[in-house]
Amino acid sequence: MNKFLHSKYKSLTPYDTSEEIESLTDYIRLNTNESPYPPSPKAIEYAHEASRSMNYYSDPECRELAARLSLLMKIKPSQIVFGNGSDEILNFIFMAFCENGAAFPDITYSFYKVLAELHGVNYVTVPLRDFRIYPEDYTHMNHRTLFITNPNAPTGIALSLNELERIINLNPNSLIVIDEAYVDFGAESAVKSINEYSNVIVVRTFSKSRSLAGGRLGWCMTNESLAQDIRNVKNSIAPYNINAMTQAAGIGTLEDEEYMQKNIAEICRERERTRNALCEIGFDVLDSKTNFLFARHKKIPGIKIFEALKERHIMIRHFTNPKINDWNRITIGTHEQMQAMLNSLKDSQIIKEEK
Ligand code: PMP
């Protein structure tokens, strides 16, 4: 640590990307919940076209993208703010609204904790029960901003819209942030609640179902007043946060809903097939409404499964948190990738020895 570092950053624990970096070469990547399918040809074509104007700054308001997305979401463009990935939107939210603290489940997207620590936001965690979020456990938020990932990660389990509305109704004095990164894979969106309640922000991403993880494009939807507050924070940090190619690629994906729906259907089919196959070789697998599975072998420690696959150049996500260290999160890839993963497990000594 350099002596010039600001004292408030001396104890930072940043998001750990080392394994993601390792998996960039020569691995089947089932560890970061990306889409195994390339972006829509339209997205690629539009991004290429937009690259010709790179000498100009990009549109800080992403007006064309907002206009198209607002039609799809049936809201006003002024209710949308874009981020460099939804991670950046989450950062804006932590900066703008967490003065009274934050709350989130104890097992959920790990970035909330990283951001809370970065911004010195006091936070509480609410334990999951049987890996589930129960609305009645969220009654004492005490003005804290509540972050709910729906479907949750890494469990993959979804809440119904009714359950989400219960959480919102139980907490009229809190801002409720619903992170719908994986909603397209089978859960109900809470987007209609942004016009029914004054305290709801829905966060979404182009990274998963729209195959644009590397393009870095996320957005949030809320009422115009909250959206303006988020926009003000954004314009104070990074007014041109979405580059021109990414804005164009985003428009391309919106013009090709059919391609996205086809990929989603394929991923959901493969998810259920993989789930059944894992159960047959001794795994417990939670019911997932996402593009990943959360699985534990009945007899073999999670780390052993992770290592056995890594040895065969297949990367899945292992967690060190003792509450979930027997579980691994497995992204749904193509049929061939999932078959390679299943074959590697079946061939591995550890599974054979357990038979
Ligand atoms: N929310 C959740 C729950 C996630 O799993 C992720 C992906 N790691 C994100 C937000 C951020 O995704 P992105 O920044 O690529 O939009």
Side-chain angles (χ1 to χ4, degrees), residues 85-87 90 109 112 149 153 179 181-182 205 207-208 216-217:
S86 52
D87 278 343
L90 294 168
Y109 184 34
Y112 307 142
T149 306
D179 181 343
Y182 302 101
T205 182
S207 293
K208 316 294 177 185
R216 310 306 299 127
L217 185 60

Side-chain angles (χ1 to χ4, degrees), residues 43-276:
I44 296 171
E45 183 196 326
Y46 289 5
H48 185 236
E49 191 57 37
S51 69
R52 295 183 212 282
S53 313
M54 254 198 288
N55 50 317
Y56 293 117
Y57 284 110
S58 57
D59 177 351
E61 297 295 326
C62 305
R63 279 165 301 177
E64 192 176 346
L65 183 58
R68 306 279 186 110
L69 190 59
S70 69
L71 292 178
L72 185 70
M73 295 291 143
K74 301 186 174 61
I75 57 175
K76 295 185 203 158
S78 52
Q79 293 183 276
I80 299 175
V81 187
F82 290 97
N84 194 286
S86 52
D87 278 343
E88 190 183 44
I89 291 287
L90 294 168
N91 184 39
F92 297 153
I93 292 173
F94 266 90
M95 294 181 77
F97 306 119
C98 293
E99 196 173 358
N100 294 318
F104 35 86
D106 64 341
I107 295 166
T108 192
Y109 184 34
S110 56
F111 205 51
Y112 307 142
K113 184 166 168 278
V114 172
L115 286 171
E117 284 169 5
L118 172 69
H119 294 300
V121 168
N122 160 294
Y123 66 91
V124 294
T125 58
V126 182
L128 296 184
R129 288 190 277 133
D130 312 323
F131 286 117
R132 286 176 182 278
I133 291 171
Y134 287 91
E136 61 270 27
D137 293 347
Y138 295 80
T139 49
H140 303 293
M141 292 301 110
N142 202 14
H143 299 264
R144 293 170 185 280
T145 296
L146 174 58
F147 292 80
I148 298 286
T149 306
N150 192 50
N152 198 13
T155 62
I157 295 176
L159 289 170
S160 68
L161 185 54
N162 272 347
E163 288 170 303
L164 281 170
E165 284 182 339
R166 265 207 79 206
I167 295 179
I168 299 168
N169 282 314
L170 284 167
N171 294 286
N173 295 320
S174 280
L175 193 58
I176 315 292
V177 179
I178 303 168
D179 181 343
E180 296 189 344
Y182 302 101
V183 76
D184 289 333
F185 299 98
E188 281 179 284
S189 173
V191 67
K192 82 181 180 58
S193 62
I194 66 169
N195 288 328
E196 293 169 5
Y197 301 87
S198 59
N199 60 335
V200 176
I201 304 177
V202 171
V203 180
R204 298 274 282 267
T205 182
F206 281 69
S207 293
K208 316 294 177 185
S209 56
R210 292 181 186 272
S211 303
L212 284 189
R216 310 306 299 127
L217 185 60
W219 81 98
C220 66
M221 297 173 278
T222 183
N223 61 56
E224 285 176 296
S225 156
L226 287 169
Q228 191 53 45
D229 290 338
I230 298 169
R231 207 170 286 119
N232 286 343
V233 171
K234 174 200 89 101
N235 286 336
S236 305
I237 308 172
Y240 309 101
N241 61 337
I242 314 298
N243 72 67
M245 285 71 72
T246 294
Q247 292 190 30
I251 293 166
T253 73
L254 294 173
E255 284 185 14
D256 202 354
E257 289 293 293
E258 206 180 299
Y259 178 79
M260 177 187 76
Q261 293 303 343
K262 183 170 82 65
N263 290 344
I264 290 172
E266 191 54 50
I267 287 167
C268 292
R269 224 183 348 262
E270 199 52 36
R271 177 183 74 202
E272 296 317 308
R273 188 187 78 85
T274 306
R275 182 173 183 215
N276 292 336

Side-chain angles (χ1 to χ4, degrees), residues 1-14 114 117-120:
M1 188 180 308
N2 193 282
K3 66 178 179 184
F4 293 113
L5 182 67
H6 196 300
S7 59
K8 73 178 174 184
Y9 295 134
K10 286 200 168 141
S11 60
L12 277 188
T13 335
V114 172
E117 284 169 5
L118 172 69
H119 294 300

